[in-house]
Each structure stands twice: as C-alpha cells, then as structure tokens.
Amino acid sequence: MNPGPARAVPRGSAPPSAGGTPTGRAGWHRRVAALPLGYLAGLVVLGLAHPFLPAWRWTAIHLLLLGAVSNAVLVWSAHFAAAVLRTPAPTRHRAEAVRLGILNAGVLAVLASGTADRPWLGVGGAALVFAAVAAHLAGLARRLRRALPARFTVTVHYYLAAAVALLAGVPVGAWMLVVDDALRPRLLLFHAHVSVLGWVTLTVLGTLLTLWPTVLRARMADGAVRAATVALPPAVAGLVLLGAGVLAWWRFVAAAGLLLFAVAALLAMRPALAVARRRPPDTFAGWSLAAASGWLLVALAVDAVTLLSAAGPDAAADRFDAVLLPLLVGFVAQVLVGSLSHLLPMALGSGPGPVRRRTALLQRHGAQRVVTANAALAVFVLPAPPFVRITTSLLILAALVQFLVPATRVLLSARSPGRAAPAEVADARPLRDYAGARPLGGVAAGLALVLVAVVAGVAAQRVSDGAPVPAAATGVVPTGHTTTVAVVADGMRFHPDRIDVPPGDRLVIELTNRDHRRHDLVLDSGAKTARVATGGSARFDAGVIGAVVQGWCSLPGHRQAGMTLRIVPTGPAEPPAGTAAPHLDAMADPGPAFTARDAAAPAVPPGRLHRRELHVREVQREVAPGVRQRLWTFDGTVPGPVLRGRVGDTFEITLVNDGTVDHGIDFHAGAVAPDQVMRPIDPGQRLTYRFTATRAGIWMYHCSTMPMLHHIGNGMYGAVIIDPPDLPPVDREYVLVQSELYLGPDGEPGDLAKMQAERPDAVVFNGYVAQYAHRPLPARTGERVRVWLLDAGPNRDSSFHVVGAQFDTVYREGRWENRPADPGGAQALQLGPAAGGFVELTFPAAGHYPFVSHVMVDAERGARGLFEVR
C-alpha cells in the first residue's frame, strides 16, 4: 500500500513512496474502492429492510466478510506487498482486475444462493471465490520470490498465511451449503474461525505493522518488525490447533489454539501500543483502529468461554452468535472503515492539497462517530430489552452511513484529477479542527445519542410490556418495622407461595431465580421486580402491608400455570375482578375487505438442505369478525409458515425471538434429543434447530416453552409436510390446520384458564373463524384435489368431512389407509391433537361443497368452510 507522500511518512514507520500518486493509479483505486463501499451500502439497506427478507443474517455476514472485506484485502494487500517489497506496482492492473471480477462473480452467486435457496449456485460461487484467492496467493508468492530482501517482508508472510486460511475455509463453507449431517456444527465452527481469524485477522496484523505508525504520524516502535516476525508462527499454529480442535471436538485443544492465537496477536500488537503511548490517536482512523483492537480481544475472550463451557459442538455453534457480533461489527467492520478513511485520500492522490481536504472530509465528526458506534454496540451486546437493541442497532447503521456519505463524495471528487469538489474548496481548515483538537464535544454528542436511544427503547418496551393495576390504599397504620423475606422462583412456582406479615410492617422481598427461564414478581399494589435471569436475584420494597396482596410472575402464562403467591396480614381481601372477553359470533360475515389465508400447499423446494429463519413476533390480529387478540406467532402468522420437503431432506431452522417473553420450538418432523434445541430462549436470542426428515407425513411444530398449553393455544404452531416417496401429482393441494381459540380480553393474549378447563370460544381452520365459508376454496369438476390436515389442538379432536363428497385416498399418520384402486372409500379423517394426514377426492358436479369438523359442536364454533366447484 502506498501510504501517501514520502514527507508525510515518518522514517522507519512505512516504506517510502514517491510524491503524489500517479493519475493512472488513482483511477484504479477510485474504481476498486467503490467495491467495498457498495457492499457496505448493501449492509445498510439490509439492516433497514431485514424484517421482510429471508436469511438476512446469513446475507449480512457474507456481504461484510466475503463482499466488502475480501475486495479490500485483495486490493490493498497486493498494493502493500508491492510497497514493502519495493517492487514496481503494475500500471495496467489487468491481472488484479481479472481476479476481482472472478471474486465478485463468486460473491454475488453466494449471496444469491442464500437469498433464493439455491445451494448449488452457492457452491459454484464458492469455487469462483476459491479461484480468485488462489490466484491472489500465487501472485503474492511470485512477487515475494522475485523481490530482494526487504525490512518488511514479514507483512507479505502474513498475507500468504491469511490466503491459505481462507482457501481452507471456503470448501468447508461450500460443503455446508449442500450436505448436512452430524458434523455440521463442527464444520460451521471451523469455517467461521479460519475465515475471520485467519483471512481477516492475520491480514490486519500484517498491515498494522506499517499502517498504524503512519496513521499516528509517528516513528515505528523499536522491535516492531521482530515482534511481528516472532508472532506469526504461533498465530498460525494456534489457528491450526483451533481448527483441528473444533473439527474433532477436542474443546480443550481448540481453546488452547485460541489462547495461542490471542497471545500471538497481543505480541504483534504490543509495539503498536508503545507507539500509541508516545503519540495517542487523534483522528477518526486512529480511534477506529484502536477500538477495533479492543473488540478483537473481547471477542477472543468470549470465544474461549463459549468453547470451554459448551456441552457439545451443537451448543457451541448456537452460542457462537455472542462471538460474531463483537468480532464482525466491533473488529472487522471498524478496521475496514478506519483503514479506508486513512487510505482513500492518499491513494487517490492529485497532490497534497486534495489529499488533505479529502482526509478532512472523512475525519469530520470523528469522535462522535466512534463513540456512537462503540457505545451503541456495547449496549447491544449486553442483556437489553428488545426495543433497546433495535434503537442501538439503528445508531450503528447511522454511524456507517456517516462514513459512506463522505467516502462517496471523496470518490466522486477524484473523477476530475486536479479539481476539487466544491465542498473541498470551501472547507480547507486544518485536519485537527475536525478530529484531534476538540474531541470532547464529539464524545459528549456520541454518548448523548446512545443515551437517547436507550431511553427511547426502554420507553417503548414499557409500553409494549404494559403495567400492573395497583390495588386500593389500605389505610393501615405503619408500625415502623421491616420484615424481610427470601423468595425462590423454581419449577414454575414461588417458594414460599404465602408470606405472613404483621399488619403495618414494611415488607422487603429478596427474589432469587433458580429456574431455567426468566421470571419476575409483580404485586397488585404496583410494586414489582425487573425480569430476573437464571441464577440472578432482585430485592424490592413491597411497601407497608395492611391487606391481602396478590403476587405473580407477569410473563405470559406463568401466572395461570400456578406461579403466584399471597402476602397475608389479617382480614384477607378478594383480588380485583378481571376484564371480560369479547363476544364472538361464529356466523358473522367478515366483510368485503377481508382476505382469507392462502390455503394452497407450497411446492417442494429444490435441494436437500432447507434453511429458514422463523421470527417470534407478538402481533394483534383479527381472529373473528370484530374480535382481535394479541397472538404469539412464528413469522407473524397463525398458523406459522408451512414448510415442505422430502424424506432425507435436512432442515436448518433458526429461531429468532423478537418477542418480549421466552419462547422455544419443537419440530415433530425430526427425531432429536430435546435438551438443547428445544430449550426456551430469551428475547433477542437466537437458536438453530437442525433435523433430518426420516419419515413422511404432515408434522406439527410448536413452541416448546412452559406452559406449553398457553403458547400453543395463543398461536405458536405450524405444519411441516414431508412428502411420501413417489407421491403422485394432483391438480390442487390445500393445507388446513385446525386449532382452538380461547379468548382473553380484547386485544390481549388467550385465556389460559379457559385452555385448562377445555372451554374454547371457537374452533377454526388456519387461524380464523369460518374464513373459507366466506372465501371458498376453488376447484373444478374432475380435478383431483388433495387436502393436507393437521390438528394443532391443543385440546380438541378433529373429524374432517366434505359434505356431498367421498375420499378415495386417505393417508393418516404416515400410513396409507385408502388408495384410489381400493373398492372402499372414506367419509372422514379422524385426527387427535398433533396428528395429521391427507385426503384426496374429485368433485362429481359443480356446486358448493361444505367441509367441516364432524365434531358438530366445533363445526358450529367455526371449524367449517366451502369448496366452490366450477
């Protein structure tokens, strides 16, 4: 890399370079700099639109690492190699252009494969990426062989090691696109570690040897080259041990390799720390690189804890998210943005004046941007309510936009060599006026933005969570004495569940949570704790006790499941009455604006590996004309999305809890040990559930969090169709999922007490009362129609019947009961809760054919519809 004019580079801190950058070289850098900036802009768009996009998280990771970072590494490492080896830089860049073209064709193919679920397209893209990096490695090795001995040759050795690491990681990533087996979590850990720690971190360590002193405008520390030379072998050895450890799941070997890599990184960075002590960073680039180094150490520490504490590779892979966020956002993205802020103005050249003005433009508001991004990231990675995570993530995106806008202006200004953009001409103040001279105002502004975001998030969370209703004043005379009681939450109960307090005493409760899920304690007097995580505790003042006080856990369903307590003095009082549920008319017309859920069965997707993110969302939905309920859902719909595949297909489902309470998931279509994959996760957490479909049928999936009755009864269920082998095609296919509604107050979750008493307000197909009676399912005479049925319950049986028609095919719970060639037929498909199957029929004449659950009380409650046959 050419760090700029020779007089701007202190002797001994970087290889010398001549004058301003030539116009041809500036044009090359202007063109290639647009590549990482384009991918970073794509990240911003993805961050804003991600609720509406499939596999957005996977796309975001590869936009950053494979798109933005890999382009930057190929361009700048080649340029730095030419500088440190003192070999002539190419004038036409033909070979580099070809490599970048191959790389970006591969990156786009990989991104498209994840978005469109075309795994073999991703394999082809990975092959192109492999070819581009292999050519880059060969070019570096060839340049090294031809060069004379140079002081900074070790930098190129880091680049070679980094390229080899990526060449090891790319085939593993391609393998994971098309094959899934018990090794998948280990392959994921290997791919992630060698790609980020090898390809990115080794490149950064090699570059910082010369870049860091240049950014600080300081002399390189004595012994810096020797430290980098000594650090490289243990870094490579640590990476090899780490990779072998995660593949074989020798977790102590993997942790030892990670420790060795961390020690090597510290050894390589130690001279940089010595330089920073002499001349502290005073620009955006310097602050960004310093903060990135800190996040690298944080990520390595979290990684070590994750590896050592995980029960197995599945758990380690699921918990790797805690490592990825500080590693990718705190380290990788921040290194990229900080480095480009320093390098772009100098690489574009055109003389000292334009270089200085462009640098000033990129350094503007530097302190505020660094503080905003890093403080927001620190809040995001801590246990925080979902709305706080949303507001802080938006601040991180805003900080990225604050870099992209001036960087784009810098590139546009370089299109006319020798002529500055109007903003540059009008604003030629010294660089220190933007970054180093008065940083305290920027620091205060950055902290203020984060504080506002946190306050806004907390306020939104409180509105979302709601508040308890306070009890009436008791009028008791205080005694002045305080009673302190320890309460333990465990097994969905409070122990003790009755607290006797002398009237007039002030009560202080010390709550400890020994359960494996979060809990809180809310009193009808208005006092409450925060939500307490497993192993945590909270102490709060319940006030002066003069009457019976009811207490409960406010997380949905926990109170109804028995998680209550009573505080009793003398003269017990009755708790306040609840709010009545809305009236439901199962015969009402939903009106002309109503749109029924599309009951058409999805096609079998291509490939044998099916990836899907399911987001837990709490939504208010109409479930009958004029009746709204607050439902817990998978992806905002009840039932959740219908998944489909074949016997032998593998499903990788990532559950993302965007709700306000803990949730989990259970797929009946796969046989797996439930301990890890079916565990509840807190708001903001993710869990990856992998299973291979070994048997055909229509299978239920549902929330696995206790009380499970409440979570299923409030909307958290869906269907997975696994086609029987050689399933013949039909003219139309529909999916109907029967379930029950247990109405709570209007706009609130369902009533668990009704669920426990088995008193449904309605029984429905696909989540809405009698929707297909008003919006019939179409068919034509003579067409063969297949109807998949699943009884999601949670309590009622189903007996599916079509009035005026007979079933010539019945498939129930994985077994053919009738075939078209059989002399007999069927009039109903009987299913218990969680059971499923399908029927096939043809309609003999045009008309309207009602379908019902022939449990007639349920048909009258809403489990009915029509086929409209033309």
Side-chain angles (χ1 to χ4, degrees):
M1 177 66 207
N2 180 2
R7 55 188 176 83
V9 183
R11 183 180 176 185
S13 66
S17 57
T21 309
T23 301
R25 187 181 302 174
W28 165 252
H29 282 108
R30 177 174 54 80
R31 290 190 296 272
V32 296
L35 293 171
L37 296 184
Y39 286 110
L40 290 177
L43 269 177
V44 174
V45 174
L46 184 68
L48 297 175
H50 75 270
F52 312 103
L53 300 175
W56 67 269
R57 180 175 170 275
W58 184 90
T59 303
I61 292 172
H62 289 82
L63 269 173
L64 176 61
L65 286 179
L66 207 54
V69 171
S70 294
N71 273 281
V73 169
L74 256 65
V75 171
W76 300 113
S77 62
H79 205 69
F80 259 103
V84 300
L85 295 176
R86 301 181 182 275
T87 57
T91 57
R92 302 189 66 176
H93 302 282
R94 182 173 298 170
E96 286 185 74
V98 170
R99 288 198 291 268
L100 287 173
I102 295 172
L103 172 71
N104 284 282
V107 172
L108 294 176
V110 170
L111 292 174
S113 75
T115 304
D117 194 20
R118 296 291 188 270
W120 285 105
L121 180 61
V123 172
L128 292 176
V129 172
F130 187 94
V133 176
H136 172 70
L137 174 65
L140 290 176
R142 187 165 51 250
R143 187 184 293 273
L144 185 62
R145 285 196 305 270
R146 295 174 180 174
L148 296 173
R151 182 184 180 192
F152 301 107
T153 300
V154 66
T155 294
V156 184
H157 293 161
Y158 274 88
Y159 296 160
L160 294 172
V164 170
L166 188 63
L167 293 179
V170 166
V172 173
W175 184 9
M176 289 192 298
L177 288 172
V178 294
V179 177
D180 186 64
D181 51 30
L183 284 177
R184 182 174 177 79
R186 308 182 190 197
L187 298 177
L188 176 63
L189 292 170
F190 177 88
H191 175 69
H193 281 103
V194 300
S195 298
V196 182
L197 298 186
W199 176 234
V200 182
T201 309
L202 288 179
T203 299
V204 170
L205 292 177
T207 304
L208 287 181
L209 173 64
T210 55
L211 180 63
W212 179 247
T214 308
V215 169
L216 299 188
R217 303 180 301 282
R219 184 181 298 276
M220 181 180 290
D222 295 336
V225 176
R226 175 169 174 77
T229 305
V230 171
L232 181 57
V236 172
L239 201 59
V240 170
L241 280 177
L242 176 58
V246 296
L247 281 179
W249 193 241
W250 300 328
R251 58 178 178 171
F252 291 106
V253 173
L258 188 64
L259 177 62
L260 185 58
F261 185 89
V263 170
L266 286 170
L267 179 60
M269 291 190 294
R270 184 177 177 184
L273 180 61
V275 175
R277 286 174 179 169
R278 293 199 312 266
R279 188 181 180 104
D282 61 355
T283 64
F284 171 76
W287 292 326
S288 292
L289 294 174
S293 302
W295 282 110
L296 173 63
L297 299 179
V298 169
L300 293 176
V302 174
D303 199 2
V305 172
T306 299
L307 288 174
L308 288 173
S309 60
D314 283 355
D318 286 339
R319 293 165 56 188
F320 194 66
D321 284 346
V323 181
L324 273 181
L325 197 62
L327 195 58
L328 296 186
V329 180
F331 172 62
V332 175
Q334 208 159 201
V335 161
L336 180 61
V337 169
S339 299
L340 289 177
S341 296
H342 178 79
L343 296 172
L344 275 180
M346 298 182 182
L348 296 175
S350 299
V355 168
R356 187 172 186 80
R357 289 190 293 268
R358 290 168 185 149
T359 302
L361 186 61
L362 283 170
Q363 302 293 342
R364 184 176 295 171
H365 307 303
Q368 173 262 310
R369 290 155 56 194
V370 171
V371 171
T372 297
N374 286 278
L377 179 59
V379 173
F380 189 93
V381 299
L382 294 172
F387 281 97
V388 173
R389 294 167 68 89
I390 292 172
T391 54
T392 51
S393 65
L394 290 175
L395 272 187
I396 296 171
L397 284 179
L400 179 55
V401 171
Q402 281 188 291
F403 162 73
L404 288 174
V405 171
T408 303
R409 293 176 61 191
V410 164
L411 289 185
L412 293 176
S413 73
R415 298 181 65 177
S416 300
R419 191 174 73 187
E424 292 176 325
V425 173
D427 194 355
R429 287 175 287 171
L431 175 59
R432 64 177 178 274
D433 285 351
Y434 295 101
R438 293 187 294 273
L440 292 182
V443 171
L447 290 176
L449 286 172
V450 175
L451 181 60
V452 168
V454 170
V455 170
V458 170
Q461 194 67 58
R462 289 180 65 87
V463 170
S464 174
D465 289 347
V469 178
T474 61
V476 70
V477 177
T479 64
H481 182 261
T482 298
T483 298
T484 302
V485 177
V487 175
V488 175
D490 191 17
M492 294 295 286
R493 293 291 186 274
F494 289 118
H495 309 278
D497 60 3
R498 174 182 170 125
I499 301 173
D500 294 315
V501 183
D505 273 18
R506 180 173 296 277
L507 175 64
V508 173
I509 296 178
E510 296 175 343
L511 175 67
T512 301
N513 185 8
R514 294 182 185 165
D515 206 355
H516 66 279
R517 54 181 69 84
R518 297 187 309 159
H519 295 294
D520 63 9
L521 177 55
V522 173
L523 304 182
D524 61 11
S525 63
K528 64 179 181 179
T529 69
R531 290 177 179 173
V532 182
T534 301
S537 60
R539 177 186 174 98
F540 76 109
D541 187 344
V544 175
I545 305 301
V548 169
V549 178
Q550 303 291 336
W552 61 88
C553 178
S554 72
L555 275 77
H558 290 201
R559 181 181 186 180
Q560 293 89 337
M563 204 162 184
T564 61
L565 61 75
R566 292 181 23 171
I567 302 169
V568 182
T570 56
E574 292 296 322
T579 305
H583 172 69
L584 185 150
D585 182 358
M587 304 301 292
D589 190 320
F594 174 73
T595 301
R597 177 184 170 115
D598 185 1
V604 178
R608 306 310 300 265
L609 173 62
H610 310 300
R611 290 194 179 94
R612 179 72 183 255
E613 278 194 359
L614 290 180
H615 289 254
V616 174
R617 296 196 175 109
E618 299 176 5
V619 299
Q620 274 203 5
R621 290 283 186 271
E622 188 175 76
V623 296
V627 178
R628 297 182 67 83
Q629 289 284 278
R630 185 172 181 83
L631 302 169
W632 305 328
T633 72
F634 295 110
D635 273 6
T637 67
V638 177
V642 177
L643 310 180
R644 193 165 189 177
R646 294 158 293 180
V647 173
D649 285 4
T650 296
F651 292 78
E652 181 181 297
I653 310 298
T654 300
L655 179 68
V656 183
N657 190 352
D658 292 333
T660 59
V661 298
D662 54 335
H663 293 288
I665 198 164
D666 172 10
F667 283 94
H668 294 188
V672 296
D675 304 63
Q676 290 295 322
V677 294
M678 298 183 197
R679 70 182 187 275
I681 59 173
D682 288 342
Q685 292 186 340
R686 308 168 64 89
L687 179 146
T688 300
Y689 192 123
R690 302 177 190 88
F691 66 89
T692 298
T694 58
R695 298 185 183 278
I698 179 169
W699 304 84
M700 184 177 177
Y701 68 87
H702 60 85
C703 184
S704 57
T705 298
M706 295 296 291
M708 206 175 299
L709 173 63
H710 198 197
H711 287 249
I712 297 173
N714 203 49
M716 300 199 74
Y717 57 85
V720 180
I721 296 174
I722 305 300
D723 284 5
D726 302 320
L727 182 67
V730 292
D731 298 296
R732 297 180 190 266
E733 270 190 298
Y734 294 113
V735 181
L736 299 176
V737 180
Q738 179 179 309
S739 61
E740 301 124 44
L741 296 177
Y742 299 86
L743 301 181
D746 193 45
E748 295 300 319
D751 189 332
L752 180 56
K754 290 183 181 179
M755 299 177 197
Q756 292 168 331
E758 299 184 46
R759 291 187 288 107
D761 293 284
V763 179
V764 299
F765 289 122
N766 289 351
Y768 193 96
V769 170
Q771 59 181 317
Y772 303 116
H774 306 284
R775 301 294 184 270
L777 300 178
R780 290 188 176 275
T781 56
E783 286 183 335
R784 174 160 288 275
V785 178
R786 177 181 297 137
V787 184
W788 292 89
L789 278 303
L790 174 70
D791 182 4
N795 297 321
R796 304 286 295 173
D797 288 350
S798 177
S799 180
F800 182 75
H801 170 70
V802 178
V803 178
Q806 297 174 338
F807 306 142
D808 62 19
T809 301
V810 175
Y811 183 91
R812 182 164 67 95
E813 283 295 281
R815 184 179 64 182
W816 296 94
E817 296 186 352
N818 286 86
R819 298 267 197 164
D822 296 342
Q827 58 196 308
L829 174 62
Q830 295 84 17
L831 300 170
F838 68 80
V839 295
E840 293 180 8
L841 69 161
T842 57
F843 295 98
H848 291 83
Y849 294 76
F851 60 83
V852 297
S853 171
H854 221 287
V855 180
M856 295 310 299
V857 65
D858 291 342
E860 295 176 1
R861 286 169 170 160
R864 66 182 186 276
L866 286 173
F867 285 107
E868 185 175 58
V869 181
R870 298 182 183 274

